[in-house]
Amino acid sequence: MANVDAAFGLTPVRHLSGNGYSRANKYTITSGLAENIFTGDLVIITADGVITPHSATEVNNIGVFAGVSYTASDGSYVYSQYFPTGTTATNIVAYVYDDPYIVYKVQSDGTVAQTNIGNCADVVAGAGSTVTGQSGFELNSSMGTGANCCKSDEQLTGNLTLNRERYVDKDGKVQYRDVTPNSCAATVG
């Protein structure tokens, strides 16, 4: 029986240090953003220092969205699993898992060949659920040596920029590893 295609985004499962996974760090979102951001979505950081959801052409993923809190326009305090499109709010705090050593689980959109274990992988930015707040992101099963298979993620640490490659380990889990700044190999392993 085939597995059900029920994407759930990226879910942290452990930290490479063995100390569990780190807590989410705080970022902000522009009030009135015209896009939903769901728990488990990859997010990017813009030049303005705010986060937005990952799209197919992004290469500057900062981490994985873990929820948001804000003061709504009616003055109420809201904590939510997702940030609804067009939300007008103040004191917006987005929680993002941005540690490059967190190991995530993520569903693939198809069967991953054994020969692709350890290769770079891209994600499919599927629609999330406005009922549960859960992401619809999943791993693209077409990985390996294609021109678009490698997306480098950047984490700014002091003045040093570290690029991270996203890859699938032997257990089918997405992991990250640091690579030479401003480079990205199509095949890793």
Side-chain angles (χ1 to χ4, degrees), residues 89-105:
T90 58
N91 305 316
I92 302 170
V93 178
Y95 302 95
V96 176
Y97 293 113
D98 60 359
D99 186 330
Y101 300 108
I102 296 175
V103 178
Y104 298 90
K105 69 177 178 178

Side-chain angles (χ1 to χ4, degrees), residues 65-121:
F65 185 76
V68 63
S69 61
Y70 55 88
T71 303
S73 57
D74 66 2
S76 63
Y77 179 78
V78 176
Y79 178 81
S80 179
Q81 293 295 99
Y82 84 106
F83 189 74
T85 184
T87 298
T88 302
T90 58
N91 305 316
I92 302 170
V93 178
Y95 302 95
V96 176
Y97 293 113
D98 60 359
D99 186 330
Y101 300 108
I102 296 175
V103 178
Y104 298 90
K105 69 177 178 178
V106 60
Q107 178 176 313
S108 174
D109 69 351
T111 302
V112 178
Q114 182 67 31
T115 56
N116 280 330
I117 302 301
N119 285 345
C120 291

Side-chain angles (χ1 to χ4, degrees), residues 5 11 20 48 56-57 68 73 83 91 93-94 135 139-142 152-153 156 161-162 175 188:
D5 186 11
T11 303
D48 298 331
T57 60
V68 63
S73 57
F83 189 74
N91 305 316
V93 178
S135 174
L139 193 68
N140 186 334
S141 60
S142 300
S152 64
D153 298 330
L156 186 61
T161 300
L162 299 175
Q175 295 197 27
V188 294

Side-chain angles (χ1 to χ4, degrees), residues 6-54:
F8 51 83
L10 286 85
T11 303
V13 293
R14 66 183 172 93
H15 193 275
L16 289 177
S17 69
N19 292 328
Y21 54 87
S22 61
R23 65 176 178 235
N25 288 308
K26 296 177 182 179
Y27 292 86
T28 193
I29 301 171
T30 300
S31 180
L33 178 70
E35 298 178 86
N36 289 316
I37 308 177
F38 296 96
T39 294
D41 281 359
L42 282 172
V43 292
I44 66 162
I45 191 160
T46 68
D48 298 331
V50 297
I51 65 163
T52 63
H54 164 98

